[in-house]
Amino acid sequence: MKAFLPLFAALLALGGCGGDESAAPRVADVRTVRAERAGRVAEAPAVRYAGTVHARYETDLAFRVGGRVQSRTAEVGTRVRAGEVLATLDPRDYALDAAAARAQLAAAEAEAKLARADIERFRALRAQNFISQAELDRRQALADAAQARVQALRAEASRLGNQQAYTRLTAPHAGVVTAIAFEAGQVIAAGQPLAQLARSGETEVRIDVPENGLDALRAARALDVRLWSVPGKVYRGRLRELAPMADPATRTYRARISLVEPDDAVRLGMTATVEVRGSAAPSLTVPQSALFRVNGRPQLWVVDPATRKVAARSVELGELKADRAEIRAGLAAGEWIVTAGVHKIAPGQEVRLVESRP
């Protein structure tokens, strides 16, 4: 019996230790998070788009009649004047058609002249009552028909004469030939695109803009254009046209940026970069990683600097810019917000802040 007394005392001591552990104070759960002090920025970061230099007017050229190409005087890169001949078709068939039309017109004019002379004689006979009024009316109808045929053949002769002139492909305006799609001896159809002519004068840069960049492009304070071939030179741009529909393949919108004061260094086909500088109106932005949603509404964790505890707050979002989001309402400048780890904390939780730079 004496041997079991020490063992019993030891068990009682262990039981007493367990009761003291439950009564010990608990350590607070303080979670380390990244945070940022909200502040207004005067200008959104610039966005750059790659593009190429084009003429404002690029015209596809084609013959208005078909036939075999007899000659071609233009090459890609050739500068032409308005009215200059670029290519010709074999004109012999059109010349024969025009000659035949002129011959038919001459014959019709002779018949009409004879009909006019006849009607004068028949009027004299009718005045002497040698023929009836019905016969005079019939002769008058024949004379009118002869004159109408003259007018129809005159129009046909003019049309065939124009077709003969259409065997020459001329430049509608001064410019440079940017594409050629035919050779001498080739048989082509009427209206088939054969060349492209870039009109001299205004030049522009064409870029493709994603849908989240349209508002920034429309409200841009300035558009700066830089050419890779002319480092250090900045050209002022102006938004001239923005496509109303996205390209079905790339899902981007084609924008045309006119160069306000281009110089001789700007050439067609050059690679350019368009920098879109935002509005100067101050805006409050936060990292998109700071946002989470509750019942579909965007929220932020706002940190109380006195207690270092977080509270969820609903905010109204504006434009999304790169990796940041504009806050229109619900947050004041100078408040601390959690920017990382937002899904691992709960309301009222105490946090330890690690500042992150915006």
Side-chain angles (χ1 to χ4, degrees), residues 190-208:
Q192 177 182 343
L194 302 176
Q196 188 177 71
L197 181 65
R199 187 170 183 172
S200 299
E202 187 174 351
T203 55
E204 63 186 20
V205 177
R206 298 179 186 176
I207 59 176
D208 296 316

Side-chain angles (χ1 to χ4, degrees), residues 45-240:
V47 181
R48 295 179 176 86
Y49 299 100
T52 52
V53 179
H54 293 264
R56 176 172 179 175
Y57 302 102
E58 294 181 343
T59 307
D60 290 330
L61 304 181
F63 283 102
R64 298 174 66 173
V65 295
R68 184 177 63 84
V69 179
Q70 186 177 58
S71 65
R72 192 190 81 184
T73 59
E75 301 290 344
V76 174
T78 302
R79 292 193 172 274
V80 297
R81 300 181 301 274
E84 185 173 341
V85 177
L86 307 179
T88 61
L89 296 179
D90 186 349
R92 287 177 292 183
D93 290 342
Y94 295 101
L96 292 175
D97 291 342
R102 289 193 297 270
Q104 293 177 3
L105 176 60
E109 288 176 341
E111 292 178 359
K113 182 178 180 180
L114 179 60
R116 288 194 300 271
D118 287 343
I119 198 64
E120 293 298 331
R121 289 191 290 269
F122 280 102
R123 283 173 181 167
L125 293 175
R126 174 57 185 151
Q128 298 176 14
N129 207 22
F130 289 136
I131 61 174
S132 65
Q133 183 64 38
E135 180 65 17
L136 178 62
D137 293 342
R138 189 176 70 84
R139 295 292 181 175
Q140 183 65 50
L142 291 176
D144 293 343
Q147 185 60 35
R149 187 166 183 269
V150 168
Q151 295 177 355
L153 289 176
R154 184 176 291 119
E156 179 67 10
S158 178
R159 185 184 69 85
L160 292 176
N162 290 339
Q163 286 195 334
Q164 184 179 359
Y166 295 156
T167 58
R168 294 178 298 170
L169 182 63
T170 59
H173 47 71
V176 58
V177 179
T178 57
I180 291 287
F182 71 103
E183 296 292 342
Q186 179 179 344
V187 177
I188 55 93
Q192 177 182 343
L194 302 176
Q196 188 177 71
L197 181 65
R199 187 170 183 172
S200 299
E202 187 174 351
T203 55
E204 63 186 20
V205 177
R206 298 179 186 176
I207 59 176
D208 296 316
V209 182
E211 58 187 46
N212 62 348
L214 297 179
D215 292 339
L217 180 62
R218 294 190 185 100
R221 180 167 57 88
L223 297 175
D224 294 337
V225 180
R226 294 177 172 84
L227 302 178
W228 285 9
S229 60
V230 190
K233 182 67 179 293
V234 179
Y235 299 89
R236 188 160 56 94
R238 175 179 56 84
L239 178 62
R240 185 183 68 82

Side-chain angles (χ1 to χ4, degrees), residues 241-313:
E241 180 182 300
L242 183 60
M245 294 184 61
D247 182 88
T250 63
R251 305 309 304 167
T252 56
Y253 293 78
R254 172 59 58 89
R256 299 170 183 259
I257 311 299
S258 294
L259 297 178
V260 178
E261 295 178 350
D263 53 23
D264 294 337
V266 180
R267 297 183 180 180
L268 301 180
M270 283 185 169
T271 303
T273 301
V274 178
E275 183 177 285
V276 181
R277 287 191 281 160
S279 172
S283 61
L284 185 64
T285 64
V286 299
Q288 293 190 30
S289 60
L291 296 169
F292 63 97
R293 289 184 178 271
V294 176
N295 296 327
R297 290 185 58 83
Q299 308 272 325
L300 289 173
W301 289 115
V302 180
V303 183
D304 186 345
T307 62
R308 293 188 301 172
K309 293 183 178 181
V310 298
R313 186 183 298 176

